[in-house]
Amino acid sequence: MSLLPLKWLLVAGLLSGSQVNVFGQSRQVAGPPPALGQYWVVLRDKAGQHFSPATYFSKPAQDRRHRQHLPACDSTDFPVRPDYVAGIRQQVDSVLLVSRWFNAVACRATPAQVAALRRLPGVRSVEALIVAPLLPAARPAALAGGSIQLSTADRQLARRQTESLGAKEFRQSRLEGKGVRIAIFDVGFNAVDQHVAFAHLRRQKAIVGTYDFLKNTPQVYRGGSHGTEVLSCIAGQLPDSTYLGLAPKAEFLLARTEQMYRERYGEELAWLAAAEWADRNGADIINSSLGYTTRRYFPEQMNGRTSLVARAAALAVRKGILVVNAAGNDGDDAQWRTVGTPADGDSVLAVGGIDPDTFLHIDFSSYGPTADKRLKPNVSAFATVLAAAPGGYVRTQGTSFSSPLLAGFAACVLQQQRNLPVMDLFHKIQQAGNLYPYFDYAHGYGVPRAAVFTQPAQAPAATFDFVRQDSAVAVIIRLEAAQVPARTLPLYADSVVAVSTDADKPAATKLGKEVSQQPRMVANSEPVVAGPAAPEYLYWHIMDAAGVLRRYQVLEVNQRAALRVPMEQLRPGDVLRVFYRGFTQIYPAL
């Protein structure tokens, strides 16, 4: 019989949790400690709790509720009963979060402790929380830091990312987000307290609150630079005074809610905690360039009601806060493709990404619809931007940056219409989309335009007609709308492309098949940089009686006979909707 050293016998006993015989004496060795899990404990009531809104809420928070025609407080604002919290603390390993909004406590506990929790008189339910990181909606960047050396193309991009949304019109109307408070939830804000891009914010004392919800400290200028880049797309500035976003006069609440690349304390709990903090401190807008996808959920759960973070976002909106969220970067992921949460929320303004060279959906931007067939994304903005980063500036990609561009846009509108109810603001931004009332699951309603809010409304001139043919309906561009640079569109051309009759093919895969992705070239020069206006594409979709798109497509118009849709593709109750040069018309199927 072989003799193992005593330490190996003890290790064996610890691993097996059984009896170990050492020198003839039998000893019971304990097994591994019970595994700790994270749990969400929902409580029954808030009976007996008192609440003073004037004491709890900041003055900006009180003012926001007044402007939004909301009561000074409601039951979700009342504190959680301390006796219930104390009872939970006695039963669990540790408490992670106490949520007023949901009257719930997040905690770490063993299975035995969970069983004890369920027997407490104040507990309504106990649910398991799966630890998963809330990922930033950015593409991996090649550069770790920024550079102060900017090319002409970089400077052009910096101007175009705001001009595409109407920066000139907002500036002429002196709309720069003044007086609007924006909360940013992100992984960290490295160098914001030192970077030249934010010197004007420091002078104005515009960063009015900070908090790190991972380490429970006000210090947020660490952890990662993704938040730095996001903030710059709302209020950053180049050394030549070019603004990288639309709201340089806004006020900011900076919340560190997640850890880059690895999970420790985070997940949806930190987002919820930050939302309650932002509400208390008077946020008008939350920008969240974060989202959950495959690490916790399935695509069929992206319905705006399943995830904790989607429900938290919905409650933030109920309290008068506009939530702007990146659609996500899974458009080229065959296993996911759709928007993540909380972008799936029906009252969350989900922002998709477009390519600055083509003004079309950029390949990685997540597609809609939601699992319950609602429109997502709602609107779009550039997903390739110039942003501030430690050491200078970087060209970077992701719907992470489309979202703050839109948050800045919303701040300008809110400055102009300070008493606008939050969902009216949501709908007005959608209606300002350059494609509205056309929509699809790649662009939403398109890129919002500042001119909608700063210039008198004008009815668009008709640009095409529907012409019924024997077995199809054709779209013919009107002669007065057929003028393109240097030529007039012919009625027919050799490059006519027939519409596919493969109705079962996923609609999103059809997007842009007939669109050139190459920038226009001039002999012996660099590619011509397009202006802020989108190229004159023709957009069309087929919508069923329930308002769900069965097919959509974008075409580059090179002839007046721009589209021919076989009637066999149109089912009873369907609507064919076409958009071209600001004009939308529908053709209803009988």
Side-chain angles (χ1 to χ4, degrees):
M1 153 177 164
S2 62
L3 296 177
L4 292 174
L6 175 61
K7 65 177 181 178
W8 290 114
L9 290 170
L10 292 174
V11 169
L14 287 171
L15 291 176
S16 66
S18 60
Q19 288 186 341
V20 177
N21 189 290
V22 181
F23 301 127
Q25 297 181 357
S26 179
R27 296 182 181 177
Q28 183 70 36
V29 180
L36 285 172
Q38 293 190 11
Y39 296 89
W40 186 240
V41 184
V42 180
L43 302 174
R44 293 187 180 279
D45 59 72
K46 292 184 176 180
Q49 296 306 292
H50 301 282
F51 182 69
S52 171
T55 303
Y56 178 76
F57 289 116
S58 68
K59 182 63 164 56
Q62 296 174 55
D63 292 344
R64 185 196 69 237
R65 292 191 177 221
H66 179 73
R67 289 192 305 268
Q68 294 284 315
H69 309 292
L70 296 172
C73 65
D74 61 40
S75 62
T76 62
D77 300 314
F78 279 57
V80 178
R81 284 181 53 165
D83 57 329
Y84 286 172
V85 176
I88 292 171
R89 288 188 188 277
Q90 290 176 1
Q91 297 293 340
V92 302
D93 178 80
S94 58
V95 168
L96 303 173
L97 171 69
V98 178
S99 171
R100 293 182 178 222
W101 284 9
F102 289 98
N103 193 25
V105 176
C107 62
R108 287 193 179 93
T110 65
Q113 290 171 336
V114 169
L117 283 176
R118 291 193 169 105
R119 294 192 293 269
L120 292 178
V123 171
R124 181 187 300 274
S125 64
V126 181
E127 308 165 9
L129 287 172
I130 302 173
V131 178
L134 194 62
L135 298 178
R139 305 287 281 182
L143 295 176
S147 171
I148 59 172
Q149 301 299 322
L150 299 179
S151 67
T152 299
D154 289 336
R155 295 180 185 277
Q156 289 172 333
L157 177 60
R159 289 193 296 271
R160 293 177 60 227
Q161 65 196 43
T162 56
E163 288 176 357
S164 61
L165 293 158
K168 180 179 178 181
E169 289 86 350
F170 276 147
R171 284 195 302 268
Q172 289 175 342
S173 299
R174 298 183 179 180
L175 297 175
E176 298 177 295
K178 187 174 182 178
V180 178
R181 188 164 288 191
I182 304 173
I184 301 177
F185 301 171
D186 222 288
V187 298
F189 301 87
N190 285 359
V192 165
D193 56 339
Q194 301 173 2
H195 201 295
V196 66
F198 308 108
H200 60 293
L201 297 184
R202 296 193 293 272
R203 286 195 303 270
Q204 298 164 11
K205 301 188 185 306
I207 299 176
V208 296
T210 61
Y211 201 78
D212 183 337
F213 287 89
L214 303 183
K215 300 199 173 183
N216 296 317
T217 171
Q219 173 60 254
V220 298
Y221 303 119
R222 61 185 175 196
S225 59
H226 185 263
T228 308
E229 296 167 2
V230 166
L231 174 61
S232 74
C233 289
I234 302 177
Q237 190 175 34
L238 293 182
D240 67 0
S241 297
T242 298
Y243 284 117
L244 301 173
L246 293 170
K249 297 293 180 65
E251 299 174 346
F252 294 93
L253 297 164
L254 306 183
R256 184 172 180 243
T257 59
E258 282 300 321
Q259 203 161 14
M260 199 71 159
Y261 304 126
R262 65 190 181 117
E263 174 68 14
R264 288 183 63 193
Y265 311 98
E267 65 178 318
E268 296 172 276
L269 299 177
W271 202 103
L272 169 58
E276 294 192 23
W277 171 80
D279 172 41
R280 182 179 185 179
N281 286 282
D284 297 296
I285 298 169
I286 290 173
N287 181 84
S288 167
S289 292
L290 304 163
Y292 278 108
T293 54
T294 55
R295 293 173 181 257
R296 178 166 183 178
Y297 296 107
F298 297 102
E300 56 267 27
Q301 293 177 299
M302 297 296 98
N303 56 21
R305 302 183 306 274
T306 299
S307 75
L308 175 65
V309 72
R311 288 181 280 137
L315 194 46
V317 175
R318 279 178 49 193
K319 294 176 181 294
I321 304 172
L322 179 71
V323 179
V324 184
N325 208 97
N329 297 331
D330 295 301
D332 52 3
D333 181 352
Q335 302 302 314
W336 189 266
R337 290 180 61 80
T338 192
V339 297
T341 191
D344 61 332
D346 61 359
S347 56
V348 173
L349 191 72
V351 187
I354 61 170
D355 187 328
D357 292 329
T358 64
F359 276 80
L360 294 175
H361 170 271
I362 200 164
D363 57 357
F364 56 76
S365 182
S366 294
Y367 292 96
T370 60
D372 52 347
K373 303 301 181 185
R374 287 178 290 102
L375 171 65
K376 291 292 173 180
N378 301 97
V379 289
S380 300
F382 278 16
T384 300
V385 300
L386 191 75
Y393 300 87
V394 294
R395 181 181 286 242
T396 187
Q397 287 189 314
T399 58
S400 273
F401 313 112
S402 310
S403 180
L405 288 174
L406 251 297
F409 185 99
C412 293
V413 177
L414 202 53
Q415 177 190 346
Q416 182 196 53
Q417 303 180 48
R418 202 66 180 99
N419 296 324
L420 193 63
V422 63
M423 286 310 296
D424 288 353
L425 174 61
F426 178 99
H427 292 303
K428 282 180 177 290
I429 292 173
Q430 285 193 143
Q431 292 163 8
N434 68 314
L435 303 179
Y436 187 87
Y438 171 89
F439 66 91
D440 62 37
Y441 298 143
H443 307 91
Y445 288 110
V447 179
R449 299 157 295 163
V452 171
F453 300 97
T454 61
Q455 299 175 9
Q458 294 183 343
T463 58
F464 62 88
D465 295 293
F466 289 116
V467 177
R468 177 65 187 271
Q469 299 173 343
D470 290 340
S471 60
V473 58
V475 174
I476 307 299
I477 305 299
R478 292 191 176 188
L479 188 59
E480 59 269 28
Q483 304 297 319
V484 296
R487 68 189 183 104
T488 300
L489 296 173
L491 180 60
Y492 294 102
D494 292 339
S495 59
V496 167
V497 178
V499 176
S500 169
T501 58
D502 183 7
D504 294 328
K505 188 175 182 181
T509 64
K510 301 176 183 293
L511 181 67
K513 287 296 187 181
E514 283 77 30
V515 179
S516 169
Q517 300 292 317
Q518 300 300 319
R520 295 184 293 278
M521 302 294 290
V522 177
N524 301 318
S525 73
E526 295 182 353
V528 174
V529 177
E536 305 292 0
Y537 298 123
L538 184 144
Y539 298 75
W540 68 277
H541 69 221
I542 296 175
M543 183 178 70
D544 67 18
V548 178
L549 301 189
R550 289 197 292 105
R551 178 177 180 144
Y552 58 96
Q553 194 174 43
V554 182
L555 302 175
E556 187 171 52
V557 177
N558 50 29
Q559 60 183 30
R560 288 181 55 212
L563 176 66
R564 184 176 182 274
V565 180
M567 293 302 298
E568 65 185 20
Q569 289 194 13
L570 299 178
R571 304 169 185 169
D574 279 357
V575 168
L576 169 65
R577 180 178 279 112
V578 178
F579 171 93
Y580 181 63
R581 297 185 74 168
F583 176 70
T584 301
Q585 189 171 185
I586 64 171
Y587 185 91
L590 301 178

